[in-house]
Amino acid sequence: MRRTIASPQDAIEAVRDWVAVHRVALGALTALVVVVVALFGPVKNYYVAVRTGQVLQQRYDEVSAQNVALRQDDDRLQSQEGIEDEARKRGYVGKGETPVKVEGEQDGSRQDDPTTPETYPDQRAWYIRVLDALFGYDPKTTWDG
């Protein structure tokens, strides 16, 4: 039922009537808002801890793979053939060999500068990006750490 509001007192009375009719719904909504506000901090801390663990595990896996590659390279360089191959790459020649200089890149590969910092490989799913934004988490900060 609709009322016509002629004065501020009528407006106040209409609001009171509406609140009286919807008292249970307003109470439930208020309780829900209080619970969400109260739990946001702990849920945020938990989310940040989980995401930090994921990013650090990803970083660890990458560093471990680099360590395996370096160990293999080290093992190769411990052999006579590996030492000779590396010396040839650097321009040295053995007895009885003729040096030849080849211009340009030979196989199209280039070594990266090892002093450049590793960048965060952002491969997050859309929902992870949304949650990171919601909870204010920046994985690049953890990655650069």
Side-chain angles (χ1 to χ4, degrees), residues 6-122:
S7 69
Q9 291 172 342
D10 289 341
I12 292 172
E13 189 63 33
V15 169
R16 282 186 185 157
D17 291 344
W18 187 87
V19 168
V21 170
H22 299 94
R23 188 176 68 228
V24 174
L26 285 174
L29 181 63
T30 302
L32 179 65
V33 168
V34 167
V35 167
V36 167
V37 168
L39 290 179
F40 182 78
V43 170
K44 176 184 176 183
N45 291 339
Y46 175 75
Y47 180 80
V48 168
V50 168
R51 286 289 291 133
T52 299
Q54 291 172 347
V55 170
L56 290 176
Q57 183 64 47
Q58 183 181 5
R59 181 79 166 133
Y60 174 79
D61 293 342
E62 184 176 299
V63 169
S64 294
Q66 289 173 351
N67 285 342
V68 168
L70 286 173
R71 283 192 187 105
Q72 290 172 348
D73 198 31
D74 184 49
D75 292 342
R76 182 183 64 83
L77 291 173
Q78 295 298 321
S79 69
Q80 187 64 32
E81 294 167 352
I83 293 170
E84 289 174 0
D85 288 343
E86 190 64 28
R88 284 190 182 92
K89 286 179 186 176
R90 295 175 186 241
Y92 293 99
V93 293
K95 291 181 182 178
E97 295 179 344
T98 306
V100 176
K101 185 173 183 178
V102 178
E103 296 290 328
E105 293 183 31
Q106 294 179 5
D107 64 355
S109 66
R110 261 190 167 179
Q111 276 194 335
D112 294 332
D113 182 9
T115 60
T116 58
E118 301 266 338
T119 58
Y120 174 69
D122 194 2

